[in-house]
């Protein structure tokens, strides 16, 4: 942060540059040089762990820095594709990293276009047409949605609330299509909370059902961390079956509060079957 010259006043920035030049350019070029000195097998040790740092530095709005860092990023893509024959490792890490920078103003249309063009040109030059074009499309769709959401969030107009929900839903559906479960679940709960704040109880219930559908009615299937991260559940909830039943109870309450009694009854009937099969008559009587 102390080297972010863009945050300084024009006079201070000019004084620093005249005295020391932009040390970030030299550092980024040194990093690129060291990266390309590594053997391909050794580069794999730093992928995907270094993707975060490379993207973070590439966000600095200085062309020489971006050029150096994105060149390293492109080489990571090449190395992964060569050794794995797919880019899923890079895609998953890229999605996770960019979500951390979702509120970063430097993730703008200029950065998006620069990154997409650089990766697209690189993939074409290296004949990574199949995996490369898919990756470019993914990055384009992801960054477009992230930028749209940030713009909507920064809009103070009341009408922007509907736009925010639309953007969150768009991101959620994108992550679902991408098959990125952690981000999909995260945005399920973001949309769920937005609906609750706006007193959209029925929509909140439907949104919560999206997570419930990802779970099994299996009392022996241990709950993965990804399902616990964004849910406010008690520590006693350990299995898919337990969490799904809890979510169903929450959904029933939301439908009931929203006067959607027919929908509430449908969920009750499904939950009733599970309680009967597991002999949970106390819980059954509470429905």
């Amino acid at each position: 942060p102390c080297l972010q010259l863009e945050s300084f006043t024009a006079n201070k920035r000019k004084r620093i540059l005249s005295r020391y030049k932009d040390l970030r350019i030299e550092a980024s070029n040194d990093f690129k040089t060291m990266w390309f000195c590594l053997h391909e097998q050794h580069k794999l040790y730093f992928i995907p762990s270094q993707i975060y740092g490379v993207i973070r530095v590439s966000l600095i709005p200085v062309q020489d820095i971006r050029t150096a860092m994105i060149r390293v990023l492109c080489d990571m893509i090449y190395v992964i594709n060569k050794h794995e024959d797919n880019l899923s490792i890079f895609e998953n890490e890229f999605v996770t990293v960019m979500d951390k920078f979702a509120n970063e103003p430097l993730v703008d249309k200029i950065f998006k276009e620069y990154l997409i063009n650089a990766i697209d040109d690189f993939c074409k030059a290296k004949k990574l047409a199949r995996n490369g074009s898919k990756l470019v499309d993914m990055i384009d769709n992801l960054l477009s949605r992230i930028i749209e959401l940030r713009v909507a969030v920064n809009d103070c107009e009341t009408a922007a609330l509907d736009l925010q929900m639309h953007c969150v839903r768009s991101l959620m559906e994108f992550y679902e299509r991408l098959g990125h479960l952690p981000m999909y679940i995260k945005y399920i709960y973001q949309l769920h909370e937005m609906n609750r704040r706006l007193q959209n109880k029925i929509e909140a219930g439907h949104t919560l059902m999206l997570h419930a559908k990802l779970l099994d009615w299996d009392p022996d299937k241990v709950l993965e961390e990804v399902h616990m991260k964004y849910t406010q559940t008690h520590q006693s909830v350990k299995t898919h079956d337990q969490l799904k039943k809890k979510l169903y109870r929450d959904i029933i309450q939301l439908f009931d509060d929203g006067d959607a009694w027919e929908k509430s009854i449908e969920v009750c009937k499904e939950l009733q079957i599970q309680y009967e099969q597991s002999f949970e008559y106390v819980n059954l009587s509470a429905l």
Side-chain angles (χ1 to χ4, degrees):
C2 59
L3 291 178
Q4 300 309 307
L5 301 181
E6 293 74 26
S7 63
F8 298 155
T9 62
N11 287 336
K12 184 176 181 180
R13 184 165 61 248
K14 184 178 179 180
R15 189 166 63 251
I16 291 174
L17 290 174
S18 64
R19 183 177 299 179
Y20 305 108
K21 298 184 179 180
D22 195 337
L23 296 177
R24 300 173 302 175
I25 296 176
E26 185 177 344
S28 61
N29 284 325
D30 286 344
F31 180 85
K32 185 183 76 170
T33 300
M34 287 189 291
W35 174 262
F36 283 101
C37 286
L38 292 172
H39 187 274
E40 277 190 6
Q41 200 64 38
H42 295 153
K43 289 177 181 178
L44 291 171
Y45 289 114
F46 299 98
I47 305 172
S49 62
Q50 287 299 312
I51 291 177
Y52 174 90
V54 172
I55 292 177
R56 180 69 188 90
V57 177
S58 70
L59 288 173
I60 297 173
V62 177
Q63 185 168 346
D64 289 342
I65 297 174
R66 281 189 172 173
T67 300
M69 290 296 99
I70 292 176
R71 181 65 185 86
V72 172
L73 204 64
C74 288
D75 189 65
M76 289 180 173
I77 293 170
Y78 175 77
V79 172
I80 293 173
N81 188 77
K82 183 177 179 180
H83 289 269
E84 302 290 337
D85 197 32
N86 67 74
L87 297 173
S88 59
I89 294 175
F90 182 89
E91 288 179 358
N92 287 334
E93 185 66 14
F94 184 87
V95 166
T96 303
V97 169
M98 291 313 305
D99 188 73
K100 294 176 181 177
F101 296 135
N103 297 322
E104 176 62 61
L106 292 175
V107 181
D108 55 15
K109 291 182 179 179
I110 296 174
F111 172 77
K112 185 192 81 166
E113 294 301 324
Y114 193 91
L115 179 65
I116 289 173
N117 290 334
I119 293 178
D120 189 38
D121 291 343
F122 177 84
C123 289
K124 288 176 179 176
K126 293 293 184 178
K127 302 189 184 327
L128 306 179
R130 180 170 58 87
N131 293 333
S133 60
K134 179 185 173 185
L135 176 65
V136 169
D137 287 342
M138 186 278 288
I139 293 174
D140 188 11
N141 284 313
L142 173 62
L143 294 184
S144 295
R145 285 168 170 79
I146 286 176
I147 293 169
E148 286 175 2
L149 177 57
R150 191 181 67 250
V151 170
V153 169
N154 291 336
D155 191 337
C156 297
E157 295 292 333
T158 305
L161 291 174
D162 289 337
L163 180 58
Q164 288 179 34
M165 292 183 67
H166 169 75
C167 292
V168 169
R169 179 178 290 278
S170 178
L171 255 177
M172 180 191 75
E173 292 172 348
F174 171 75
Y175 288 133
E176 180 186 19
R177 292 193 300 272
L178 195 63
H180 199 291
L181 190 60
M183 290 297 105
Y184 176 52
I185 293 176
K186 174 183 177 179
Y187 281 90
I188 283 176
Y189 281 91
Q190 278 201 19
L191 186 60
H192 170 69
E193 286 303 316
M194 292 177 79
N195 277 307
R196 285 181 67 95
R197 288 200 303 269
L198 293 174
Q199 298 299 308
N200 297 334
K201 299 296 181 65
I202 299 174
E203 284 301 317
H206 282 301
T207 306
L208 209 56
M209 182 61 80
L210 295 175
H211 186 196
K213 288 180 178 179
L214 298 174
L215 301 165
D216 300 318
W217 294 114
D218 187 347
D220 298 319
K221 189 172 182 179
V222 178
L223 208 56
E224 299 88 349
E225 175 65 25
V226 66
H227 292 293
M228 296 291 291
K229 189 171 182 180
Y230 302 103
T231 57
Q232 297 177 349
T233 58
H234 193 270
Q235 290 182 350
S236 61
V237 176
K238 303 287 187 184
T239 66
H240 274 237
D241 179 73
Q242 290 174 339
L243 180 56
K244 189 160 186 169
K245 287 174 180 174
K246 181 189 181 303
L247 291 176
Y248 265 52
R249 291 193 296 270
D250 292 342
I251 292 166
I252 290 168
Q253 186 62 55
L254 287 166
F255 284 160
D256 190 51
D257 292 343
D259 296 339
W261 295 298
E262 290 184 0
K263 297 181 183 297
S264 181
I265 290 171
E266 289 177 8
V267 180
C268 278
K269 287 180 178 179
E270 190 174 350
L271 189 55
Q272 174 190 348
I273 295 172
Q274 300 303 320
Y275 280 151
E276 289 174 347
Q277 291 178 349
S278 56
F279 307 107
E280 297 178 58
Y281 296 119
V282 174
N283 290 328
L284 180 61
S285 65
L287 287 178

